[in-house]
Amino acid sequence: MAPPARAPFAAWLAGGNDITAAFLAAAGRPGMINLAGGLPDPALFPVEELAALAAAAVRERPAEVLGYGPVAGLPALRDALASRLSGPALRLGRDNLLVVSGGLQALDLIGKVLLEEGATVAAQWPTYLGALDAWRPRRPRYRPLMPGATATELAAACTGAAFAYAVPNFSNPTGRLVPGGERHALVAAARAAGTWLVEDDPYGSLGYGGPLPPRLIELAAADRPGAVYDGTVVYLGTLSKEVVPGLRVGWVAAAPDMIAALARARQGADMCGSGLTQAVALGALAAGLPERLAAAAVAHYRGRRDALLAAMDAELAGRFAWEVPEGGMFVWARARDQGLDTDRLFDAALAAGVCITPGSVFDPAGRDRGAIRLNFTLNPPDRLAEGVRRLAAAVAATG
Amino acid sequence: MAPPARAPFAAWLAGGNDITAAFLAAAGRPGMINLAGGLPDPALFPVEELAALAAAAVRERPAEVLGYGPVAGLPALRDALASRLSGPALRLGRDNLLVVSGGLQALDLIGKVLLEEGATVAAQWPTYLGALDAWRPRRPRYRPLMPGATATELAAACTGAAFAYAVPNFSNPTGRLVPGGERHALVAAARAAGTWLVEDDPYGSLGYGGPLPPRLIELAAADRPGAVYDGTVVYLGTLSKEVVPGLRVGWVAAAPDMIAALARARQGADMCGSGLTQAVALGALAAGLPERLAAAAVAHYRGRRDALLAAMDAELAGRFAWEVPEGGMFVWARARDQGLDTDRLFDAALAAGVCITPGSVFDPAGRDRGAIRLNFTLNPPDRLAEGVRRLAAAVAATG
């Protein structure tokens, strides 16, 4: 007997991009060189420290670590994060902090508390794929915040939007570092429009050049110096790049009313986070692990970035143009020939044994088929070079 | 300078029930006897085993445990769960299983993949508060599935609903065990209506009486014996009651197309679960930990149930009526006097030093103010008795 007819899935599931599922599946194939994901090198994982922290957390605080925990996160972890993020330009307390299961959960919760069905989001373009995935169930409209937009253009994009979204430090996918002047203009535009401004900052610790401009949240705090933060910027951070992704520990720093709304949404999303992973995160912060790991990670990944760029210079310079990213995990390359379809190149590259990310997945409308994103953190230099050789062969085959 | 005006929060945040926030906050106050939550006794946590499993997981499989993982969960854990749930009446493979961050995340994902704004849910009444919280952002309409409903009534409730929802084993909040005949009728009604049927089963291992009737998912599999499961029931389980809540490891067993849709939703909800907590869960299953813990938990909690009921018999029998729950964590008691407002009793009880859950939070419309839910798993017998004495004083004061 055939199974009976069933109620349909919600309409948003029919949207989206099949390429995403294809590259997630392809990246795991044997022999494939994976330049697609934003994956760290497991060789950098502080295995022994984390094993010891995990066992100690369970033994020393079993009721807190193994029981249900507070929706907003372990109080001691919220305090530690508030203290770590505070400085001369920013004063944060526990009520400014929400612990989340990775930065992506923060994006999901932000969609829940700010987006009515079909609302407008002003998003830095091209846009992080995970953010598009997180907000897809609400089917928002997008307005692009283009690199180098003028104050007037930023103001127009923010007006009437439920929120604006930016990755100012080494954006995913472009690797771009938003300069200080543009940061000031963005915060001013959001404030004038009465729009929340989401600052997603997973890559701030992975800078391979000089010091960074101020964070947007610091600029938003500047009008009320010394006061507990109550500004328009909603700041997202994570331990995924600073320590390891597998803890799934990230955080939101925002005005207390926003934190309360996000916590209410989280109560209905997964009740609370794991006490075990939060306690390990707290132990890692207390031990200064992110600071100890940072120098090695920066040197390691800077070398890999340079290896990828050298291979690209040798193999792809005639067909693609790119900027040298000053941080993060990616090089964004645009085809010189507008006729080169990077969705088709994705397929040809898979056939040649290398997985890349086609630019279309970072375009809310899925139309931009002229760029690719290449990751340089996961693979050693020789694999990066071989991946680029395979990609060049695929480019030649695609025409 | 005052902060600028800001874009409003989504409308669903204005709905819901202030009582929920009040009882979550109150339960932690010093001296308060907490009969409100559904919390296990930390004395039962297998601390040393979990500490050892956590350290071993990190050391033995660091790349898998500390890196990003597959959206649907660690393959070995999906296989272990499929094998554990399979039996003569049910055949499950990896594609039937999704690992989630606690049962509540499954409810959130189900809402995302099945509910358009304002869709209809046929829900066992009264309804688990967490399910109502999970679906609130979609603002569904509810049709009650009343205890003991006839086949005709069940069919009418399911027709046109996006899905039906039931907690057949020791329902939260009532503790009711749905009898076999009603289970058959519910599955038949859902199948005839083409409605998905969500079977939420956190308490199945906490039975204090005889054997349980078949699971709904087993009944739904019966029409295609021996085939890999592709039925209308979506089954939810969790380690929160069988091992510990703090791992946040639960699972969905369902037809492969439902699992694929839920995984797509999860990709945008938090990307993937923690490899650490999943590896500990896998180790706990492999070591037979749930089975070893079950007998002690059942004996421990049966004694506490009996202690709560004895105290209620002594102090509350004139004012409330209740059924003896054959399992789970709760006694559901209805006021004999229809004039007793249990939202007001909640406040009076807090003032008397005991936190209970008022029945209104389990009513989608928030109107039922004639019942209370009392938990018996967290507190030892003497605290249960003292809590009931305080509650009786509050009842007298409420009038």
Side-chain angles (χ1 to χ4, degrees):
Chain A
M1 197 174 95
R6 286 172 189 153
F9 293 123
W12 70 268
L13 279 161
N17 197 320
D18 290 343
I19 294 278
T20 307
F23 87 69
L24 288 172
R29 281 189 218 155
M32 185 71 67
I33 297 180
N34 179 11
L35 308 182
L39 304 182
D41 183 356
L44 297 180
F45 293 166
V47 175
E48 194 45 46
E49 287 98 324
L50 293 176
L53 285 171
V58 173
R59 288 189 180 113
E60 288 163 18
R61 293 186 291 174
E64 191 177 30
V65 164
L66 301 177
Y68 288 104
V71 176
L74 294 186
L77 180 55
R78 295 171 77 194
D79 289 346
L81 291 167
S83 166
R84 184 168 185 250
L85 291 164
S86 290
L90 180 65
R91 187 175 153 210
L92 297 170
R94 184 186 296 180
D95 291 346
N96 293 114
L97 265 296
L98 176 78
V99 181
V100 288
S101 289
L104 196 74
Q105 186 179 47
L107 298 171
D108 174 62
L109 299 177
I110 286 166
K112 280 183 165 154
V113 306
L114 290 180
L115 293 180
E116 302 289 356
E117 184 98 15
T120 296
V121 176
Q124 195 176 61
W125 194 93
T127 311
Y128 168 47
L129 170 60
L132 297 177
D133 277 344
W135 302 326
R136 236 179 267 285
R138 291 300 196 174
R139 296 195 286 181
R141 297 158 197 270
Y142 285 92
R143 286 190 199 138
L145 298 172
M146 301 304 289
T150 65
T152 309
E153 289 164 343
L154 293 173
C158 288
T159 301
F163 61 88
Y165 173 71
V167 187
N169 291 330
F170 320 120
S171 177
N172 182 350
T174 64
R176 179 171 187 255
L177 182 67
V178 174
E182 199 173 323
R183 295 182 186 222
H184 278 279
L186 188 53
V187 171
R191 288 171 52 88
T195 306
W196 296 97
L197 172 56
V198 177
E199 178 179 26
D200 193 359
D201 190 21
Y203 309 110
S205 65
L206 297 180
Y208 314 130
L212 305 184
R215 293 173 171 147
L216 303 183
I217 192 174
E218 290 166 345
L219 300 178
D223 61 311
R224 298 177 75 219
V228 170
Y229 180 70
D230 190 34
T232 200
V233 170
V234 179
Y235 177 89
L236 315 186
T238 174
L239 287 186
S240 292
K241 278 74 183 181
E242 290 186 63
V243 181
V244 293
L247 292 177
R248 311 306 297 127
V249 172
W251 53 87
V252 184
D257 64 336
M258 171 57 82
I259 294 297
L262 293 170
R264 182 98 179 275
R266 186 178 189 173
Q267 189 180 314
D270 63 1
M271 186 97 79
C272 62
S274 162
L276 174 56
T277 59
Q278 290 183 77
V280 173
L282 181 60
L285 290 176
L289 208 50
E291 293 73 16
R292 278 193 281 131
L293 295 171
V298 164
H300 192 66
Y301 291 146
R302 188 197 283 119
R304 290 185 170 194
R305 175 198 65 175
D306 294 343
L308 177 70
L309 290 169
M312 290 174 72
D313 279 333
E315 301 281 347
L316 292 173
R319 304 300 303 271
F320 283 87
W322 56 85
E323 305 278 331
V324 173
E326 290 180 54
M329 299 185 142
F330 307 108
V331 175
W332 176 250
R334 186 161 289 282
R336 296 183 186 277
D337 174 2
Q338 291 194 6
L340 182 63
D341 178 334
T342 52
D343 277 8
R344 283 181 54 221
L345 175 60
F346 166 75
D347 289 326
L350 280 189
V354 59
C355 189
I356 62 170
T357 312
S360 60
V361 301
F362 305 103
D363 177 6
R367 289 199 204 98
D368 179 12
R369 296 179 161 206
I372 57 175
R373 187 192 73 175
L374 301 180
N375 167 266
F376 53 78
T377 55
L378 179 63
N379 290 283
D382 62 321
R383 294 284 285 172
L384 291 169
E386 173 59 19
V388 170
R389 278 191 293 273
R390 294 180 187 182
L391 177 59
V395 171
T398 308
Chain B
M1 198 175 94
R6 286 173 190 152
F9 293 123
W12 72 267
L13 279 160
N17 197 321
D18 289 343
I19 294 278
T20 307
F23 87 68
L24 287 171
R29 281 189 218 156
M32 184 71 66
I33 297 180
N34 179 10
L35 306 182
L39 304 182
D41 183 356
L44 296 181
F45 293 167
V47 176
E48 193 47 44
E49 288 97 325
L50 293 177
L53 285 171
V58 173
R59 289 189 180 113
E60 287 164 19
R61 294 187 291 174
E64 191 177 30
V65 164
L66 301 177
Y68 287 103
V71 176
L74 294 186
L77 181 55
R78 296 170 76 194
D79 289 345
L81 291 166
S83 166
R84 184 168 185 251
L85 291 163
S86 290
L90 181 65
R91 188 175 152 208
L92 298 169
R94 185 186 295 178
D95 291 345
N96 293 114
L97 264 295
L98 176 78
V99 181
V100 288
S101 289
L104 196 74
Q105 187 179 48
L107 297 170
D108 174 62
L109 299 178
I110 286 166
K112 279 182 166 153
V113 306
L114 290 179
L115 292 180
E116 303 290 355
E117 184 99 15
T120 297
V121 175
Q124 196 176 58
W125 193 92
T127 311
Y128 168 47
L129 170 60
L132 296 176
D133 278 344
W135 302 325
R136 236 179 268 286
R138 292 300 195 174
R139 296 195 285 181
R141 297 158 198 271
Y142 286 92
R143 286 192 200 137
L145 298 172
M146 301 303 289
T150 65
T152 309
E153 289 164 344
L154 293 173
C158 288
T159 301
F163 62 88
Y165 173 70
V167 186
N169 291 331
F170 320 120
S171 177
N172 182 351
T174 64
R176 180 172 186 255
L177 181 67
V178 174
E182 199 173 323
R183 294 182 185 221
H184 278 279
L186 188 54
V187 171
R191 288 172 52 88
T195 306
W196 297 96
L197 172 55
V198 177
E199 177 180 26
D200 194 358
D201 190 22
Y203 309 111
S205 65
L206 297 180
Y208 313 130
L212 305 184
R215 292 172 172 148
L216 303 183
I217 192 175
E218 291 165 344
L219 300 178
D223 62 311
R224 299 177 76 219
V228 170
Y229 181 71
D230 190 35
T232 200
V233 170
V234 180
Y235 177 89
L236 315 185
T238 174
L239 288 185
S240 293
K241 278 74 182 180
E242 290 187 63
V243 182
V244 294
L247 293 177
R248 311 307 297 128
V249 172
W251 52 88
V252 184
D257 64 335
M258 172 56 82
I259 295 297
L262 293 170
R264 182 99 179 273
R266 187 179 188 170
Q267 190 181 313
D270 64 1
M271 186 98 77
C272 62
S274 162
L276 174 56
T277 60
Q278 290 183 79
V280 173
L282 181 59
L285 291 176
L289 208 50
E291 293 74 16
R292 278 194 280 132
L293 296 170
V298 164
H300 192 68
Y301 291 145
R302 188 197 284 118
R304 289 185 169 192
R305 175 199 64 175
D306 294 343
L308 177 70
L309 290 169
M312 291 175 71
D313 279 334
E315 302 281 347
L316 292 173
R319 304 301 302 271
F320 284 86
W322 56 86
E323 305 278 330
V324 173
E326 289 180 55
M329 299 185 142
F330 307 108
V331 176
W332 176 250
R334 186 161 289 282
R336 295 182 186 278
D337 174 3
Q338 291 194 4
L340 182 63
D341 178 334
T342 52
D343 277 8
R344 283 182 54 222
L345 175 60
F346 166 77
D347 289 326
L350 280 188
V354 60
C355 189
I356 62 170
T357 312
S360 60
V361 301
F362 306 103
D363 176 7
R367 290 199 203 98
D368 179 11
R369 296 179 160 205
I372 57 175
R373 187 192 73 175
L374 302 180
N375 167 266
F376 54 77
T377 56
L378 178 64
N379 290 283
D382 62 320
R383 294 284 284 173
L384 291 169
E386 173 59 20
V388 170
R389 277 191 293 274
R390 293 180 187 181
L391 176 58
V395 171
T398 309

